[in-house]
Each structure stands twice: as structure tokens, then as C-alpha cells.
């Protein structure tokens, strides 16, 4: 019975989508006849580029990986990656092609990304043949997600409730965040299945405002900021902001600028939906808007430090075998950031937390032979740069531009500190090279 219950939420051994796999192999076989060898090699590189981009590779990592694979396959390749397109020029045996791969930004799937990273290293180091790599890429892409839709909804509830404790909320705030997290997770799930991504974020924010006002009126005291920010934590693009600044710092200007603008627009759509929900909620429920939360005992924070990373693991589709390292690295990030903030300020605390995450993730990556993103992604989420940016936009919408600009500067300073800590960690613990 227990096994049947757990299987309703996740798959121990994710199955292949046979229909998707058959379509991919049929398309490959239909064009394989009478093809020149260089053509099959070019198609393999294009297929690998699409897969790595779809599941979470950043522009610098993607370009480095494709360059290494191309060199192993005897192809001179030059690549330019952005969040929505990959430009490539390939030359092999006197045959040269330049083409554009149009890609859509997809959700991060760290389980599939880890498998693709291992495949890319094997291919770049000559341990896997091009034909085997092509078939394996099709299988990875056709594999069903490890966690089912209902698991992602429950994970959103858990992560949201725990976030309320990180912001200093009480049990009422945590309960409100859990309900908002359920609505947010459900709308996100429906958006993925109906291909209407653009409406999920503002709708979730709108319902978050209504539910927060209702909770503040019916079971005070509930902090509106904690309830809304914690409930929407899975939607806030703090990771996107950090990635954008990292790409800008490494001179990938086009990709970094695109990501930053994408994060800004997402912040604004969420804040606009929330503003409408709050205004309507205040009219309907007339809640107290300045209520202070009553914090829970200290031991609940330790419980949240275990449950919150697990919730984010489900969201990013991290394998269960990485649970203990992810939880440990998230706890390390939280305490380094908190203690550093108390002693040296918010930006320095973020730097310390990011440095700890980067070093620990780098060591684990070299030991396990998988990308550091598997553990560092969730660890960076615990540094919550997204909540600061969210507060900045809400200040501006509330006609307090001075506070909004000050908070935006704080967000940028925290994000820059996080990126600096991660870059320094890469110097201390170098990432795996493509020759290893």
C-alpha cells in the first residue's frame, strides 16, 4: 500500500514515452538514407544543443560543451547561445553550414540535465559513439518526468509554507502560504498541460492577493507581505536574475541581457496581478494591512530547512539519490547567509552563502561526476534574491518609487554578491574540464 501511494507521486524508474521516442526515431531514420557522414554529425550536434538548452544549461556552459563535442567529432564549430536561439557555424571536410536553432526557454530538469551532462562528457572524451549518443539523447528526451504532476503541487505547498518561516512568519502565515502555494502549483501544472504559460504567473499572484487578504481578515495576525511572498516563492525569478548577472559578468552580454529583461517582465506581471488581488481583497475583506507575524519556536526553522529543499528538489526534478547533499548544501547556504548578514550586512551574507554553495557543489560535482548545477541551483534559491526584487516592484506599484529603487539596488547588490561568490568558488574548486 505504501509503495502504491508513493508511486502516485513519483516514478522510481521513469518510463519512456514510447510514442515520443518512436516519432523521434522515425524522423531520424527517414532522413538518414543517402545522407553524407558530415550531415549526420551536424544533426547530432544540433540535437544535443536543443536538449542541453531545454533542460537548463546556461549560455557559457552550452557553448563550451558544444565546442568540445564538435572538436572530438572532427568538426570546427562556432556557437552563440541565447535564451531563445542558438546560432551555429559548423565545418567538416570542406562542408560548411551556418544555421539557427530556434529554442523556447523550458523548465529546468536537473535529472535529465545530469544524464545529458554525463553523455556529453562521454561523447567529448570518446567513450561513446555518435550513433549511441544520438539514440541516448532521444531516450532521455522521451523519458517521463521523475515526479508526477500531483507531487509538484504538494512540493509547492511545502516550499511555500517553509518560506514563511524563513521570513519570520508564524503558523497562520505558514498555513496561508501553503494554501497559496497549492493554488500556484495547480495553476502552473495546468499551464504546462494547456500550453498557456503566460497567464499562470499573474493569475497566481491575483489569487495570492485575495487569499492573503481573506486570511488576514479571518485569522489575524497574518502579514500580507510574508503570505504573498512566501506563497509565490516558486514563481519568483531570483535564479534567473542570478544567472543573468553571471552571464553578464562572463561577457555573454546578449544572453545575460535577455535573461535580465525576462526576469524584470516576470517580476512586473506577478506584481501587477498581486496588486489587483490585494486591492480587491482589501475592498471585500477589509483586513489589517500592518499586522505583525508571531514567529514560531526555533526548532521549526530546522524542520523547514529539511522540508524546503525537498520541495524545491521536486520542482527542479532532482533525483532522490541527491537528497542528502542538496539538503546539507541548502542548510549550509542558509546559515552562512544569515550569520554573514547579521555580522557584515546583507550583501556580504549573500556572498558568503554563495561561496559556501559553490565550494560544496563543486566538490560534490567532482566526486559524483555530475554538473554542479544539481546541488547549487536549490542552494541559490535559499538565498532568496527573488523576494527582494519582488518587494522592489511592489513598492513601485504602490507609488513609493524611492523605496522601490532602493530595494531594487539591494536586489542587484545581493545578486552580484551571489555571482561573485560562485565565481570565486570556481577558482577554489575548478569545475570538471572537457578533457577529464
Amino acid at each position: 500500500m505504501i509503495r502504491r501511494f508513493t508511486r502516485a507521486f513519483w516514478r522510481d524508474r521513469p518510463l519512456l514515452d514510447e510514442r515520443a521516442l518512436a516519432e523521434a526515431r522515425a524522423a531520424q531514420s527517414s532522413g538518414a538514407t543517402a545522407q553524407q557522414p558530415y550531415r549526420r554529425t551536424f544533426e547530432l550536434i544540433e540535437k544535443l544543443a536543443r536538449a542541453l538548452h531545454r533542460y537548463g544549461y546556461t549560455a557559457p556552459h552550452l557553448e563550451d560543451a558544444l565546442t568540445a563535442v564538435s572538436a572530438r567529432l572532427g568538426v570546427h564549430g562556432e556557437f552563440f547561445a541565447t535564451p531563445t536561439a542558438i546560432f551555429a557555424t559548423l565545418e567538416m571536410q570542406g562542408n560548411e553550414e551556418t544555421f539557427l536553432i530556434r529554442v523556447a526557454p523550458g523548465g529546468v530538469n536537473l535529472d535529465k540535465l545530469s544524464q545529458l551532462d554525463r553523455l556529453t562528457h562521454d561523447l567529448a572524451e570518446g567513450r561513446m559513439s555518435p550513433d549511441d549518443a544520438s539514440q541516448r539523447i532521444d531516450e532521455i528526451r522521451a523519458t517521463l518526468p521523475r515526479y508526477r504532476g500531483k507531487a509538484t503541487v504538494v512540493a509547492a505547498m511545502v516550499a511555500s509554507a517553509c518560506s514563511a518561516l524563513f521570513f519570520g512568519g508564524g503558523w497562520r502565515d505558514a498555513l496561508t502560504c501553503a494554501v497559496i502555494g497549492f493554488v500556484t502549483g495547480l495553476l502552473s501544472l495546468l499551464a504546462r498541460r494547456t500550453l498557456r504559460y503566460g497567464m499562470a504567473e499573474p493569475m497566481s499572484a491575483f489569487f495570492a492577493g485575495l487569499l492573503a487578504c481573506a486570511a488576514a481578515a479571518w485569522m489575524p495576525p497574518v502579514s500580507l507581505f510574508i503570505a504573498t511572498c512566501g506563497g509565490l516563492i516558486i514563481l519568483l525569478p531570483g535564479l534567473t536574475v542570478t544567472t543573468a548577472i553571471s552571464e553578464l559578468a562572463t561577457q555573454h552580454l546578449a544572453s545575460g541581457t535577455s535573461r535580465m529583461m525576462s526576469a524584470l517582465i516576470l517580476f512586473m506581471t506577478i506584481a501587477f496581478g498581486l496588486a489587483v488581488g490585494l486591492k480587491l481583497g482589501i475592498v471585500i475583506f477589509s483586513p489589517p494591512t500592518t499586522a505583525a507575524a508571531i514567529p514560531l519556536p526555533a526548532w521549526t526553522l530546522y524542520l523547514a530547512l529539511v522540508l524546503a529543499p525537498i520541495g524545491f528538489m521536486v520542482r527542479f526534478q532532482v533525483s532522490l539519490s541527491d537528497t542528502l547533499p542538496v539538503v546539507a548544501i541548502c542548510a549550509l547556504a542558509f546559515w552562512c547567509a544569515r550569520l554573514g548578514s547579521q555580522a557584515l550586512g546583507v550583501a556580504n551574507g549573500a556572498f558568503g552563502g554563495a561561496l559556501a554553495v559553490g565550494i560544496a557543489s563543486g566538490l560534490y560535482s567532482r566526486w559524483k561526476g555530475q554538473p554542479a548545477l544539481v546541488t547549487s541551483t536549490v542552494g541559490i534559491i535559499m538565498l532568496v534574491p527573488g523576494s527582494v526584487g519582488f518587494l522592489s516592484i511592489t513598492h513601485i506599484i504602490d507609488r513609493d518609487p524611492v523605496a522601490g529603487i532602493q530595494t531594487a539596488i539591494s536586489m542587484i547588490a545581493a545578486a552580484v554578491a551571489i555571482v561573485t561568490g560562485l565565481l570565486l568558488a570556481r577558482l577554489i574548486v575548478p569545475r570538471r574540464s572537457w578533457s577529464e
Side-chain angles (χ1 to χ4, degrees), residues 6-127:
T6 57
R7 283 179 176 176
F9 291 90
W10 67 77
R11 302 175 176 92
D12 293 333
R13 297 179 180 178
L15 302 175
L16 290 175
D17 186 340
E18 298 293 346
R19 181 178 178 182
L21 182 61
E23 290 176 353
R25 291 184 173 173
Q28 180 178 355
S29 61
S30 63
T33 57
Q35 272 193 352
Q36 296 293 332
Y38 81 89
R39 169 61 61 185
R40 293 197 296 272
T41 303
F42 288 179
E43 289 183 353
L44 170 61
I45 295 173
E46 178 184 353
K47 181 187 295 185
L48 180 62
R50 288 182 181 275
L52 290 174
H53 185 283
R54 177 179 180 181
Y55 296 121
Y57 252 39
T58 60
H61 296 153
L62 180 59
E63 293 174 6
D64 291 343
L66 295 178
T67 300
V69 169
S70 299
R72 167 60 67 174
L73 299 177
V75 178
H76 175 71
E78 295 183 0
F79 304 93
F80 179 76
T82 72
T84 57
I86 303 171
F87 300 88
T89 297
L90 304 177
E91 189 275 328
M92 180 181 183
Q93 300 173 354
N95 301 284
E96 182 175 339
E97 289 189 8
T98 299
F99 52 89
L100 164 67
I101 306 173
R102 185 68 171 88
V103 288
V108 176
N109 187 317
L110 294 177
D111 185 24
K112 291 188 177 184
L113 182 65
S114 180
Q115 298 178 53
L116 285 168
D117 181 82
R118 190 174 298 111
L119 177 149
T120 305
H121 274 274
D122 290 343
L123 188 58
E125 296 160 16
R127 295 195 298 265

